[in-house]
Amino acid sequence: MNTRTRVLTGTALAVALGAGAFGAVSATASATPVAQAQSAPAAVAKKDDAVNGKNFTTTTHLTIDAASRAAQAALDAAEKEGQKITVAVVDRNGNTIVTLRGDGAGPQSYESAQRKAFTAVSWNAPTSVLVGRLAQAPNLKDIPGTLFLGGGTPVQVNGAPVAGIGVAGAPSGDLDEKFAKAGVEALAN
């Protein structure tokens, strides 16, 4: 047997042994977690951990009924003043609960209302207040989904944000915010 043949034969043998060993290790590795998963008891949270707040938290959310009432109150307040607006209500996580687009509201108002609501709940402050913060931190406006224009206000329970109401379409952010506050006030009644 010449040197070349011995090297090729040795290499082929090493590859075959390596593949066999790898296959055995892989089979053992994948079988072990399945076997362990089948025999391990399911994780169950203890009631006292939930009560003591060790592992869980409880949050407050608006119901669809409350969000709808708030949105309608904002829309009604705008209509009384002859304004054509869109109002959006988002939950604590910024997810839209309800959006009402008033008759004749501009096409840009839909997204603007949602973004104002998201911004207000994210920072737990009216967007008119947040506009002032841009002077100190101009990069805030680069955060996706935000809009730093007047017209968004948070809904709070015990000082914590639970939702945001955003209004867009009136000729000024002050009016938009006035109508958003009318939505918040509807929840207090």
Side-chain angles (χ1 to χ4, degrees), residues 10 19 32 40-41 76 87 106 132 141 154 160 165 178 186:
T32 303
D76 291 346
V87 57
K141 68 182 178 348
I165 299 176
K178 175 182 174 181

Side-chain angles (χ1 to χ4, degrees), residues 4 23-24 47 53 55 63 72 88 97 128 135 146 150 152 159 170 178 186:
R4 182 173 181 216
K47 185 176 180 181
N55 296 320
T63 63
Q72 190 63 55
I97 302 171
S128 61
T146 60
K178 175 182 174 181

Side-chain angles (χ1 to χ4, degrees), residues 94-108:
N95 300 310
T96 303
I97 302 171
V98 64
T99 302
L100 295 178
R101 183 173 175 268
D103 294 334
Q108 80 290 354

Side-chain angles (χ1 to χ4, degrees), residues 1 13 22 28 43 57 61 69 86 105 109-110 115 132 146-147 170-171:
M1 212 186 232
L13 183 59
F22 178 75
T28 303
T57 184
H61 295 273
R69 280 187 289 117
T86 297
S109 64
Y110 190 88
R115 290 175 59 192
T146 60
L147 185 59

